[in-house]
Amino acid sequence: MSKDNGTASGTTATPELAAIAERFTRARRRGESLPGFPGTIPDDLDTAYRVQDIAIGRWPDRVVGWKVGYIAVERRDASGDERLLGPIFERNLWNATGSIIPIPIFEGGFGAIEAEFVLRLDADAPADRLHWTPEAAAALPATLFIGIEVASSPLTTINELGPRVVISDFGNNNGLLLGARIPDWAARDEATLLAETFIDGASVGTGGARRLPGGLRAAFAFALSRSARRGRPLRRGELIATGNATGIHDIAIGQRGTVVFQGHGTLECLAVAAMPREDLA
C-alpha cells in the first residue's frame, strides 16, 4: 500500500498512463534498467504529472520532499513552466554522518549527482494559494541545508528525451543526501552560497545558488505554485531540493562523489548498484 502523503486532485489513471507508471515503478523496485520509454511519451507536462501521480500512488513509501529541475527554454510547453518537480521518498533520504554515504544508481540506466541547496518548510503553505512570487515564498518560514541529489533512472536516455519523460519517472530522482544547516539563509547574499563538485577527486563543476535562474526563491516559488495546482500543497517538514548548483555530473557505480559547500561543509557519497527492493515489493 502506498504511503503517499497527499492525493492529487483530478488524476485519471487511463490504461496507457497507468502502464507507463507501472513499468517505471516495477523497474525501480527490481533495480533494473529499461531499453526505452515504456509507451508513448506524454503530450505535455500536465499529462506527465498524471503519470507521476499514478506512480506515487503505487509506490509504498512516503513523500518527504520534492526535487526541482530547470527546463531549457526550447523544451518548454504551453504550460509555461520553467521548472519541473519529482518526489523524494523517505527511504531514500539520508542524513549526512560525516562518513561516505552509499547512493543507489541503476546499472544500465542514468546516474548522476547534483549539488543542492535544500529548503525545509517550517510551516504549512496555505492550501488555497495557487500562485507564489519569489518574494512571497521567501516570507514563508523555511530552513536551508546543503545536500546532494541522486539523479538516477532505469532509463539511460531520460534527460535526452526531455522534461515530459523526466517528470514521468519521479523527476529522475533516486534520493537525497541532507547535510548541515545554513544559518540565516534569508539574510544572506546568495552570491556567497558557493559549491564545487568532484568525482573521484577531480573537479567537475563549480557554482552556487546564483547558478539557479532566479535563485533559491524562484525555485521555492515554483515548487509552492506547481504543488498547489496539482492538489498537493506543501506542508511543514517537506524538503525542496532547489536545483543543481554546479551542474549535472554523471557518476558510475564504484565512483566517489564529493561536494564542498564553501564555509558550510563537505558531503561525500559512493555510487553503488541499485538492488531489488524487497521492502517495496
Side-chain angles (χ1 to χ4, degrees), residues 241-265:
T242 54
N244 69 80
T246 69
I248 303 170
H249 309 295
D250 290 352
I251 193 168
I253 294 166
Q255 289 188 308
R256 179 185 296 188
T258 304
V259 181
V260 178
F261 294 88
Q262 185 174 304
H264 299 291

Side-chain angles (χ1 to χ4, degrees), residues 8 12 17 20 22 36 48 69 73 82-83 93 109 144 170 173 179 183 188 201 216 230 234 243 263 270 278:
T12 304
L17 300 185
I20 295 170
E22 171 58 26
V73 174
E82 298 179 350
R83 290 172 162 87
L93 173 66
L144 186 66
F170 289 159
N173 178 269
R188 292 178 181 270
L216 301 178
R230 291 175 71 187
L234 298 182
L270 176 68
E278 294 181 2

Side-chain angles (χ1 to χ4, degrees), residues 67-80:
K67 64 82 57 80
V68 177
Y70 188 69
I71 301 176
V73 174
E74 66 274 13
R75 290 194 159 187
R76 296 174 191 167
D77 69 3
S79 70

Side-chain angles (χ1 to χ4, degrees), residues 47-249:
T47 306
Y49 279 117
R50 289 168 62 194
V51 175
Q52 188 184 111
D53 283 328
I54 295 165
I56 290 172
R58 295 183 176 201
W59 195 252
D61 199 359
R62 186 172 71 94
V63 176
V64 294
W66 302 89
K67 64 82 57 80
V68 177
Y70 188 69
I71 301 176
V73 174
E74 66 274 13
R75 290 194 159 187
R76 296 174 191 167
D77 69 3
S79 70
D81 283 2
E82 298 179 350
R83 290 172 162 87
L84 59 81
L85 293 178
I88 300 166
F89 292 99
E90 186 172 37
R91 289 187 179 97
N92 276 20
L93 173 66
W94 309 282
N95 289 310
T97 61
S99 59
I100 300 173
I101 303 296
I103 57 169
I105 300 295
F106 292 98
E107 187 170 8
F110 178 85
I113 59 171
E114 301 177 14
E116 297 277 348
F117 291 96
V118 183
L119 287 161
R120 183 192 67 202
L121 273 75
D122 295 329
D124 289 349
D128 59 349
R129 184 167 188 167
L130 303 183
H131 301 285
W132 291 79
T133 64
E135 294 73 24
L140 190 65
T143 301
L144 186 66
F145 299 84
I146 60 175
I148 294 177
E149 181 195 352
V150 182
S152 189
S153 166
L155 181 61
T156 187
T157 56
I158 185 168
N159 281 349
E160 298 169 30
L161 292 174
R164 291 170 291 158
V165 173
V166 172
I167 290 169
S168 296
D169 185 31
F170 289 159
N172 194 12
N173 178 269
N174 201 38
L176 179 69
L177 173 57
L178 192 66
R181 180 176 71 90
I182 298 176
D184 303 319
W185 76 274
R188 292 178 181 270
D189 181 348
E190 289 190 4
T192 67
L193 297 176
L194 301 174
E196 184 171 8
T197 301
F198 301 81
I199 301 291
D200 285 345
S203 179
V204 292
T206 60
R210 280 284 180 90
R211 189 180 187 280
L212 310 175
L216 301 178
R217 293 164 176 81
F220 192 17
F222 172 79
L224 288 162
S225 299
R226 176 48 101 165
S227 296
R229 297 201 309 272
R230 291 175 71 187
R232 298 177 178 273
L234 298 182
R235 300 173 181 175
R236 179 177 180 177
E238 287 192 87
L239 301 166
I240 303 298
T242 54
N244 69 80
T246 69
I248 303 170
H249 309 295

